[in-house]
Amino acid sequence: MMKYAVVDLEATSASHTSKIIQIGIVIVQDGQIIKTYQTDVNPHEALDSHITALTGITTAQVAAAPDFEQIMSEVAELLAGCIFVAHNVKFDYNLLMRTFAEHGVKLELPRVDTIELARIFFPTLNKYGLGSLSRVLDLVLERAHEAVSDAYATAELLIKLQKKMAELPKNVLTEIARHADSLIYETKIVISEQLALLGPIKDDLVKVDQIATLKPYVSKNKNLVSEQFKENLALLDLDARPKQQAFADLVSQRLGDTSASFIEAPTGIGKTYAYLLTLLGQGKKVIVSVPTKVLQEQMMQDLAPIFKDNFGVNFVKLLGTQNYISLEKFRQLLESCQDGKNYEIFKMKVLVWLTETKTGELDELSLTMTSPYYLDGIRHSGQVYNGQLHAEQDFWQLTQQRVKDAQVIVMNHAYLAERIMDQTELFEDKVLVVDEAQQLFSVLEQAHQKSVKLVDELVKVETHASHLHKRLVESLTYQLSRRQLDIEKIRIDAKELGLSAISDVLVNPDDFVWVQNHVLKSSPKDFLNFAAMIPKETKTFLIGATLVMSKKRAVFPELLGFTDYTFDVIPAEKQDNQKVFVASDSPDLTTISAQAYAEYLSQEIQRFKKIGKPIVVLFTSHESLSLTAQALELADIAVLKAENPGDASRVKKKFDEHPDAILLGSKKFWEGVDFDKQSELILIITRLPFSVPDDILIRKYAKRFKNAFYDFSVPLATLQLAQAFGRVNRRHDQKSAVVILDKRLAGKTYAKQMVKKLSKGNHLIFSKIDQISSQIQKFL
């Protein structure tokens, strides 16, 4: 067996002129730590204060330490015949090699980097720093940035990596070794050693060529849910609350109706348990649609195991095909071993991940130093043929099979909108529950739109085209840049140029048409008729905490195309575990610049940070989020940012891991991320969530109702505010303070309508900003 010297150095700085101040060495052989060594080293210079703060090493401490020359032979003897291992080996090896060279000794050892190995063999982690790995992998790191402590944790990491390799099937580790020449220095040595030692492994994998996946798991569905709601709750050690019982009774009562059932019920009463236990107790198979993939995952993690363990009920999650890996595409990708280090590491980590994943969902993979382009290259297209090499391992097909034996199918609104019409058999003999149904507006609108990237189309025009073609391109480009689009002129130019994708977007002359971020979009004049999409025999419940938009009539069902429906409301009660504070002296948002407002937000976030609770900050624009993040970072305040749609799940996980984190979020966090892990937290809403006048939903509503702002924008903004409050109020024993930094809620005429609605379920307190912090401290 090879002998490894795991080394960590502390230095005067991170520069190429730095000097060693501490050496830690841990010797590993046969998967065991056999020796440790540490010494301070005198650099003959004073240490900067930040180095002392980081390492705990003082100038006086190193001044009393031996010179490197005095311990050089001892260190050389320890390293002799070893493979040099470090977490970021380039820094430690180069510094030690240079220091030896300054004393006339040449250091030549094979080098292994545990960061690169960790990226491959722990493919789902978000961070690969030693501190993060120590927390996740339970490594012993008693004193971070003490050399021997860091070296000891790295040695434990090396041993865990070796064990992980030893558990892999030979076909997979052989393929990994084939791609490992791309790794830095001689890191491949560890893989090659384990490959040579590989013995028989547990037979729980399906192995085809270079790829191994877990054998499909089959779990029989039993559905032991009782017809008695209270009996089911008792089995879960829960007590029925009055409003939860009322909600369950209402679901049971409306189950016999053939019409769609809309139910508005307040947050925090236990709606999900109520409708699931009631419907399952009646022997129904249930399809639950939630707004986002994040909420899907929460249901699968939090509820599915409880229902399986207590009632034998199988849950299955359905996503669009592009969320799953295509093993055929991945196999083709493996043919090349010359695609650059990060791409090759990506291939190797996918090989490891495939031996662990039960779902094949690409969201499980770490995006650290991984380009989204890599993932796009292996996304599933939805096509699987029996003749394909990996057909029996295909995750998308296996998910479809599990759907057949599941009592609860969990999907998101986007998937529902996409598949409800072409997968009618999936909805037969099932009850459809659309949870947080108010989110259907924006999702259905996205599904309804046609779009084309203008750059992708315009580049199709040949550069050597005729003078007429060049004039047409100039004309088309000009027309597309205008605020008021001449649709007929654009249609004619696109047809003349043969740009069929643009022509397809403009095929219906009655559509709304607009350009947004260099994308040409069109949408029909009316809302999508969701009611017509639902199979006739499918009983449907549409549930939410905020569905009522008008006192005059139930506008919400009408906008979704429903004419035959029931609408029930379970009235909200004041939430004593949550208070909403409105800053009556916040800046005038109509006059303040974006940069000045970001600096104001940064100051207020820092003010609330002193309370010592986790903080969620919700933005209505990406620009404001980015500028505020920059202002906070300039003030040395660490923040978590969720700027892109795919960030939500990962950022939420990081937020849950840190008790005093600050999260800056946009659209997805308004709509579909629940913060239920924190016992106390602060939510800051930067401005009222009004849709802009050009928003397509506003334009559609304006066509049908007299006053789009008062009849649609104000109620919708109120619903979104109430929904945001609910995001941080998931349990009765959870306390949350909401701060609204938009004084319009305190003074505008339309605000009276909003305040009246919000006050039914919330304590609204109007105060000056410098008083709110102390009020929150007293409350929390």
Side-chain angles (χ1 to χ4, degrees), residues 604-639:
E604 297 310 324
I605 292 168
Q606 290 177 63
R607 181 203 300 264
F608 293 115
K609 182 180 185 297
K610 294 175 184 176
I611 298 174
K613 305 296 180 184
I615 298 174
V616 178
V617 190
L618 294 183
F619 293 82
T620 58
S621 82
H622 292 293
E623 179 192 21
S624 184
L625 188 155
S626 296
L627 289 172
T628 305
Q630 291 170 18
L632 286 165
E633 286 161 2
L634 284 173
D636 288 327
I637 305 295
V639 296

mmCIF file of all heavy atoms in Angstrom, residues 604-639:
data_model
loop_
_atom_site.group_PDB
_atom_site.id
_atom_site.type_symbol
_atom_site.label_atom_id
_atom_site.label_comp_id
_atom_site.label_asym_id
_atom_site.label_seq_id
_atom_site.Cartn_x
_atom_site.Cartn_y
_atom_site.Cartn_z
ATOM 1 N N GLU A 604 -30.600 49.488 6.363
ATOM 2 C CA GLU A 604 -31.686 48.949 7.186
ATOM 3 C C GLU A 604 -31.493 47.452 7.458
ATOM 4 O O GLU A 604 -31.775 46.966 8.550
ATOM 5 C CB GLU A 604 -33.045 49.197 6.524
ATOM 6 C CG GLU A 604 -33.400 50.668 6.359
ATOM 7 C CD GLU A 604 -33.220 51.455 7.650
ATOM 8 O OE1 GLU A 604 -33.486 50.910 8.743
ATOM 9 O OE2 GLU A 604 -32.779 52.621 7.583
ATOM 10 N N ILE A 605 -30.993 46.716 6.466
ATOM 11 C CA ILE A 605 -30.713 45.286 6.669
ATOM 12 C C ILE A 605 -29.644 45.120 7.748
ATOM 13 O O ILE A 605 -29.740 44.238 8.611
ATOM 14 C CB ILE A 605 -30.284 44.624 5.347
ATOM 15 C CG1 ILE A 605 -31.472 44.586 4.374
ATOM 16 C CG2 ILE A 605 -29.766 43.199 5.595
ATOM 17 C CD1 ILE A 605 -31.111 44.233 2.947
ATOM 18 N N GLN A 606 -28.628 45.992 7.715
ATOM 19 C CA GLN A 606 -27.591 45.939 8.747
ATOM 20 C C GLN A 606 -28.169 46.262 10.128
ATOM 21 O O GLN A 606 -27.760 45.684 11.136
ATOM 22 C CB GLN A 606 -26.473 46.915 8.398
ATOM 23 C CG GLN A 606 -25.643 46.482 7.185
ATOM 24 C CD GLN A 606 -24.590 47.509 6.825
ATOM 25 O OE1 GLN A 606 -23.683 47.779 7.611
ATOM 26 N NE2 GLN A 606 -24.691 48.089 5.630
ATOM 27 N N ARG A 607 -29.122 47.166 10.160
ATOM 28 C CA ARG A 607 -29.777 47.521 11.425
ATOM 29 C C ARG A 607 -30.476 46.272 12.004
ATOM 30 O O ARG A 607 -30.327 45.943 13.177
ATOM 31 C CB ARG A 607 -30.809 48.628 11.192
ATOM 32 C CG ARG A 607 -31.522 49.064 12.488
ATOM 33 C CD ARG A 607 -32.878 49.701 12.174
ATOM 34 N NE ARG A 607 -32.785 50.884 11.341
ATOM 35 C CZ ARG A 607 -32.758 52.144 11.809
ATOM 36 N NH1 ARG A 607 -32.812 52.360 13.107
ATOM 37 N NH2 ARG A 607 -32.707 53.160 10.961
ATOM 38 N N PHE A 608 -31.242 45.573 11.148
ATOM 39 C CA PHE A 608 -31.996 44.412 11.624
ATOM 40 C C PHE A 608 -31.094 43.201 11.871
ATOM 41 O O PHE A 608 -31.443 42.319 12.659
ATOM 42 C CB PHE A 608 -33.118 44.077 10.636
ATOM 43 C CG PHE A 608 -34.184 45.125 10.572
ATOM 44 C CD1 PHE A 608 -34.398 45.851 9.407
ATOM 45 C CD2 PHE A 608 -34.942 45.428 11.691
ATOM 46 C CE1 PHE A 608 -35.368 46.833 9.348
ATOM 47 C CE2 PHE A 608 -35.919 46.425 11.649
ATOM 48 C CZ PHE A 608 -36.133 47.133 10.477
ATOM 49 N N LYS A 609 -29.938 43.188 11.225
ATOM 50 C CA LYS A 609 -28.991 42.094 11.456
ATOM 51 C C LYS A 609 -28.545 42.048 12.918
ATOM 52 O O LYS A 609 -28.256 40.977 13.463
ATOM 53 C CB LYS A 609 -27.774 42.244 10.531
ATOM 54 C CG LYS A 609 -26.742 41.131 10.656
ATOM 55 C CD LYS A 609 -25.570 41.374 9.703
ATOM 56 C CE LYS A 609 -24.594 40.202 9.729
ATOM 57 N NZ LYS A 609 -23.959 40.010 11.039
ATOM 58 N N LYS A 610 -28.487 43.204 13.571
ATOM 59 C CA LYS A 610 -28.028 43.283 14.961
ATOM 60 C C LYS A 610 -28.959 42.523 15.914
ATOM 61 O O LYS A 610 -28.572 42.186 17.034
ATOM 62 C CB LYS A 610 -27.914 44.738 15.388
ATOM 63 C CG LYS A 610 -26.828 45.511 14.637
ATOM 64 C CD LYS A 610 -26.841 46.987 15.012
ATOM 65 C CE LYS A 610 -25.813 47.762 14.192
ATOM 66 N NZ LYS A 610 -25.864 49.226 14.467
ATOM 67 N N ILE A 611 -30.193 42.258 15.479
ATOM 68 C CA ILE A 611 -31.134 41.508 16.322
ATOM 69 C C ILE A 611 -30.673 40.059 16.465
ATOM 70 O O ILE A 611 -30.996 39.388 17.447
ATOM 71 C CB ILE A 611 -32.561 41.593 15.729
ATOM 72 C CG1 ILE A 611 -33.018 43.057 15.720
ATOM 73 C CG2 ILE A 611 -33.541 40.731 16.509
ATOM 74 C CD1 ILE A 611 -34.358 43.274 15.020
ATOM 75 N N GLY A 612 -29.889 39.586 15.486
ATOM 76 C CA GLY A 612 -29.308 38.254 15.590
ATOM 77 C C GLY A 612 -30.204 37.127 15.122
ATOM 78 O O GLY A 612 -30.029 35.974 15.546
ATOM 79 N N LYS A 613 -31.168 37.415 14.250
ATOM 80 C CA LYS A 613 -32.054 36.380 13.713
ATOM 81 C C LYS A 613 -31.826 36.241 12.205
ATOM 82 O O LYS A 613 -31.366 37.171 11.555
ATOM 83 C CB LYS A 613 -33.528 36.742 13.957
ATOM 84 C CG LYS A 613 -33.863 37.023 15.423
ATOM 85 C CD LYS A 613 -33.671 35.798 16.301
ATOM 86 C CE LYS A 613 -34.027 36.112 17.762
ATOM 87 N NZ LYS A 613 -33.747 34.966 18.645
ATOM 88 N N PRO A 614 -32.158 35.077 11.646
ATOM 89 C CA PRO A 614 -32.056 34.939 10.183
ATOM 90 C C PRO A 614 -33.001 35.916 9.487
ATOM 91 O O PRO A 614 -34.086 36.207 9.999
ATOM 92 C CB PRO A 614 -32.461 33.486 9.929
ATOM 93 C CG PRO A 614 -33.185 33.045 11.158
ATOM 94 C CD PRO A 614 -32.631 33.838 12.287
ATOM 95 N N ILE A 615 -32.563 36.432 8.350
ATOM 96 C CA ILE A 615 -33.322 37.468 7.637
ATOM 97 C C ILE A 615 -33.543 37.045 6.190
ATOM 98 O O ILE A 615 -32.607 36.635 5.497
ATOM 99 C CB ILE A 615 -32.572 38.823 7.663
ATOM 100 C CG1 ILE A 615 -32.410 39.317 9.106
ATOM 101 C CG2 ILE A 615 -33.310 39.861 6.823
ATOM 102 C CD1 ILE A 615 -31.565 40.578 9.228
ATOM 103 N N VAL A 616 -34.788 37.158 5.741
ATOM 104 C CA VAL A 616 -35.128 36.978 4.335
ATOM 105 C C VAL A 616 -35.553 38.336 3.794
ATOM 106 O O VAL A 616 -36.388 39.016 4.399
ATOM 107 C CB VAL A 616 -36.277 35.966 4.152
ATOM 108 C CG1 VAL A 616 -36.648 35.836 2.674
ATOM 109 C CG2 VAL A 616 -35.894 34.600 4.716
ATOM 110 N N VAL A 617 -34.961 38.744 2.667
ATOM 111 C CA VAL A 617 -35.303 40.028 2.047
ATOM 112 C C VAL A 617 -35.885 39.744 0.663
ATOM 113 O O VAL A 617 -35.228 39.098 -0.170
ATOM 114 C CB VAL A 617 -34.069 40.944 1.919
ATOM 115 C CG1 VAL A 617 -34.499 42.345 1.494
ATOM 116 C CG2 VAL A 617 -33.286 41.001 3.225
ATOM 117 N N LEU A 618 -37.103 40.200 0.414
ATOM 118 C CA LEU A 618 -37.768 39.948 -0.866
ATOM 119 C C LEU A 618 -37.746 41.194 -1.742
ATOM 120 O O LEU A 618 -38.074 42.297 -1.291
ATOM 121 C CB LEU A 618 -39.212 39.503 -0.639
ATOM 122 C CG LEU A 618 -39.406 38.159 0.061
ATOM 123 C CD1 LEU A 618 -40.886 37.823 0.154
ATOM 124 C CD2 LEU A 618 -38.650 37.048 -0.649
ATOM 125 N N PHE A 619 -37.372 41.000 -3.004
ATOM 126 C CA PHE A 619 -37.273 42.083 -3.978
ATOM 127 C C PHE A 619 -38.259 41.857 -5.117
ATOM 128 O O PHE A 619 -38.612 40.718 -5.428
ATOM 129 C CB PHE A 619 -35.858 42.153 -4.557
ATOM 130 C CG PHE A 619 -34.799 42.566 -3.557
ATOM 131 C CD1 PHE A 619 -34.242 41.641 -2.684
ATOM 132 C CD2 PHE A 619 -34.371 43.878 -3.497
ATOM 133 C CE1 PHE A 619 -33.281 42.008 -1.769
ATOM 134 C CE2 PHE A 619 -33.403 44.264 -2.577
ATOM 135 C CZ PHE A 619 -32.854 43.327 -1.712
ATOM 136 N N THR A 620 -38.651 42.951 -5.748
ATOM 137 C CA THR A 620 -39.522 42.843 -6.923
ATOM 138 C C THR A 620 -38.748 43.012 -8.223
ATOM 139 O O THR A 620 -39.320 42.866 -9.295
ATOM 140 C CB THR A 620 -40.638 43.908 -6.862
ATOM 141 O OG1 THR A 620 -40.044 45.204 -6.783
ATOM 142 C CG2 THR A 620 -41.545 43.675 -5.667
ATOM 143 N N SER A 621 -37.448 43.319 -8.123
ATOM 144 C CA SER A 621 -36.640 43.444 -9.341
ATOM 145 C C SER A 621 -35.241 42.882 -9.109
ATOM 146 O O SER A 621 -34.692 42.998 -8.007
ATOM 147 C CB SER A 621 -36.536 44.903 -9.800
ATOM 148 O OG SER A 621 -35.521 45.597 -9.089
ATOM 149 N N HIS A 622 -34.680 42.288 -10.144
ATOM 150 C CA HIS A 622 -33.331 41.733 -10.066
ATOM 151 C C HIS A 622 -32.290 42.836 -9.907
ATOM 152 O O HIS A 622 -31.277 42.652 -9.235
ATOM 153 C CB HIS A 622 -33.022 40.902 -11.313
ATOM 154 C CG HIS A 622 -33.830 39.640 -11.405
ATOM 155 N ND1 HIS A 622 -33.678 38.601 -10.522
ATOM 156 C CD2 HIS A 622 -34.806 39.271 -12.262
ATOM 157 C CE1 HIS A 622 -34.506 37.629 -10.833
ATOM 158 N NE2 HIS A 622 -35.212 38.018 -11.881
ATOM 159 N N GLU A 623 -32.547 43.993 -10.538
ATOM 160 C CA GLU A 623 -31.596 45.103 -10.443
ATOM 161 C C GLU A 623 -31.461 45.552 -8.988
ATOM 162 O O GLU A 623 -30.348 45.736 -8.475
ATOM 163 C CB GLU A 623 -32.045 46.274 -11.308
ATOM 164 C CG GLU A 623 -31.088 47.467 -11.225
ATOM 165 C CD GLU A 623 -31.647 48.743 -11.845
ATOM 166 O OE1 GLU A 623 -32.881 48.850 -11.976
ATOM 167 O OE2 GLU A 623 -30.841 49.633 -12.159
ATOM 168 N N SER A 624 -32.578 45.721 -8.310
ATOM 169 C CA SER A 624 -32.548 46.163 -6.921
ATOM 170 C C SER A 624 -31.858 45.132 -6.038
ATOM 171 O O SER A 624 -31.074 45.483 -5.147
ATOM 172 C CB SER A 624 -33.982 46.411 -6.428
ATOM 173 O OG SER A 624 -33.972 46.917 -5.108
ATOM 174 N N LEU A 625 -32.114 43.869 -6.291
ATOM 175 C CA LEU A 625 -31.458 42.799 -5.525
ATOM 176 C C LEU A 625 -29.944 42.869 -5.699
ATOM 177 O O LEU A 625 -29.180 42.815 -4.732
ATOM 178 C CB LEU A 625 -32.002 41.440 -5.967
ATOM 179 C CG LEU A 625 -31.593 40.197 -5.152
ATOM 180 C CD1 LEU A 625 -32.641 39.094 -5.312
ATOM 181 C CD2 LEU A 625 -30.231 39.652 -5.558
ATOM 182 N N SER A 626 -29.490 42.981 -6.942
ATOM 183 C CA SER A 626 -28.051 42.994 -7.232
ATOM 184 C C SER A 626 -27.364 44.209 -6.613
ATOM 185 O O SER A 626 -26.289 44.101 -6.022
ATOM 186 C CB SER A 626 -27.811 42.978 -8.741
ATOM 187 O OG SER A 626 -28.292 41.776 -9.309
ATOM 188 N N LEU A 627 -27.991 45.380 -6.752
ATOM 189 C CA LEU A 627 -27.393 46.600 -6.197
ATOM 190 C C LEU A 627 -27.325 46.538 -4.673
ATOM 191 O O LEU A 627 -26.337 46.963 -4.063
ATOM 192 C CB LEU A 627 -28.202 47.827 -6.641
ATOM 193 C CG LEU A 627 -28.092 48.222 -8.126
ATOM 194 C CD1 LEU A 627 -29.084 49.331 -8.452
ATOM 195 C CD2 LEU A 627 -26.671 48.653 -8.473
ATOM 196 N N THR A 628 -28.355 45.995 -4.044
ATOM 197 C CA THR A 628 -28.358 45.871 -2.583
ATOM 198 C C THR A 628 -27.301 44.875 -2.127
ATOM 199 O O THR A 628 -26.597 45.101 -1.123
ATOM 200 C CB THR A 628 -29.746 45.449 -2.082
ATOM 201 O OG1 THR A 628 -30.724 46.370 -2.565
ATOM 202 C CG2 THR A 628 -29.796 45.400 -0.566
ATOM 203 N N ALA A 629 -27.172 43.778 -2.861
ATOM 204 C CA ALA A 629 -26.148 42.787 -2.532
ATOM 205 C C ALA A 629 -24.760 43.410 -2.605
ATOM 206 O O ALA A 629 -23.910 43.175 -1.729
ATOM 207 C CB ALA A 629 -26.249 41.587 -3.475
ATOM 208 N N GLN A 630 -24.531 44.215 -3.626
ATOM 209 C CA GLN A 630 -23.230 44.889 -3.766
ATOM 210 C C GLN A 630 -22.972 45.830 -2.592
ATOM 211 O O GLN A 630 -21.857 45.877 -2.045
ATOM 212 C CB GLN A 630 -23.189 45.660 -5.090
ATOM 213 C CG GLN A 630 -23.152 44.769 -6.328
ATOM 214 C CD GLN A 630 -23.348 45.573 -7.610
ATOM 215 O OE1 GLN A 630 -23.185 46.788 -7.631
ATOM 216 N NE2 GLN A 630 -23.702 44.881 -8.693
ATOM 217 N N ALA A 631 -23.998 46.575 -2.200
ATOM 218 C CA ALA A 631 -23.848 47.519 -1.083
ATOM 219 C C ALA A 631 -23.546 46.769 0.218
ATOM 220 O O ALA A 631 -22.723 47.206 1.028
ATOM 221 C CB ALA A 631 -25.114 48.358 -0.940
ATOM 222 N N LEU A 632 -24.194 45.645 0.437
ATOM 223 C CA LEU A 632 -23.947 44.853 1.644
ATOM 224 C C LEU A 632 -22.550 44.241 1.632
ATOM 225 O O LEU A 632 -21.856 44.212 2.653
ATOM 226 C CB LEU A 632 -25.002 43.753 1.776
ATOM 227 C CG LEU A 632 -26.400 44.216 2.212
ATOM 228 C CD1 LEU A 632 -27.428 43.135 1.963
ATOM 229 C CD2 LEU A 632 -26.394 44.614 3.687
ATOM 230 N N GLU A 633 -22.126 43.765 0.470
ATOM 231 C CA GLU A 633 -20.806 43.155 0.374
ATOM 232 C C GLU A 633 -19.708 44.192 0.586
ATOM 233 O O GLU A 633 -18.649 43.891 1.153
ATOM 234 C CB GLU A 633 -20.662 42.449 -0.983
ATOM 235 C CG GLU A 633 -21.463 41.137 -1.019
ATOM 236 C CD GLU A 633 -21.732 40.634 -2.431
ATOM 237 O OE1 GLU A 633 -21.263 41.274 -3.403
ATOM 238 O OE2 GLU A 633 -22.430 39.615 -2.566
ATOM 239 N N LEU A 634 -19.949 45.425 0.139
ATOM 240 C CA LEU A 634 -18.983 46.500 0.399
ATOM 241 C C LEU A 634 -18.867 46.784 1.896
ATOM 242 O O LEU A 634 -17.838 47.250 2.370
ATOM 243 C CB LEU A 634 -19.397 47.768 -0.351
ATOM 244 C CG LEU A 634 -19.135 47.788 -1.868
ATOM 245 C CD1 LEU A 634 -19.757 49.024 -2.502
ATOM 246 C CD2 LEU A 634 -17.631 47.740 -2.165
ATOM 247 N N ALA A 635 -19.934 46.485 2.625
ATOM 248 C CA ALA A 635 -19.935 46.676 4.085
ATOM 249 C C ALA A 635 -19.489 45.407 4.808
ATOM 250 O O ALA A 635 -19.672 45.295 6.026
ATOM 251 C CB ALA A 635 -21.330 47.092 4.544
ATOM 252 N N ASP A 636 -18.936 44.461 4.056
ATOM 253 C CA ASP A 636 -18.452 43.185 4.614
ATOM 254 C C ASP A 636 -19.564 42.367 5.258
ATOM 255 O O ASP A 636 -19.361 41.678 6.253
ATOM 256 C CB ASP A 636 -17.329 43.414 5.638
ATOM 257 C CG ASP A 636 -16.029 43.855 4.977
ATOM 258 O OD1 ASP A 636 -15.785 43.402 3.839
ATOM 259 O OD2 ASP A 636 -15.285 44.640 5.582
ATOM 260 N N ILE A 637 -20.753 42.441 4.681
ATOM 261 C CA ILE A 637 -21.885 41.637 5.150
ATOM 262 C C ILE A 637 -22.102 40.505 4.146
ATOM 263 O O ILE A 637 -22.377 40.752 2.971
ATOM 264 C CB ILE A 637 -23.177 42.475 5.266
ATOM 265 C CG1 ILE A 637 -22.944 43.696 6.171
ATOM 266 C CG2 ILE A 637 -24.321 41.614 5.783
ATOM 267 C CD1 ILE A 637 -22.638 43.357 7.605
ATOM 268 N N ALA A 638 -21.948 39.278 4.614
ATOM 269 C CA ALA A 638 -22.131 38.118 3.725
ATOM 270 C C ALA A 638 -23.619 37.881 3.497
ATOM 271 O O ALA A 638 -24.419 37.935 4.430
ATOM 272 C CB ALA A 638 -21.485 36.881 4.338
ATOM 273 N N VAL A 639 -23.980 37.624 2.249
ATOM 274 C CA VAL A 639 -25.385 37.374 1.921
ATOM 275 C C VAL A 639 -25.496 36.172 0.993
ATOM 276 O O VAL A 639 -24.552 35.808 0.283
ATOM 277 C CB VAL A 639 -26.044 38.599 1.240
ATOM 278 C CG1 VAL A 639 -26.089 39.782 2.178
ATOM 279 C CG2 VAL A 639 -25.334 38.964 -0.067
#
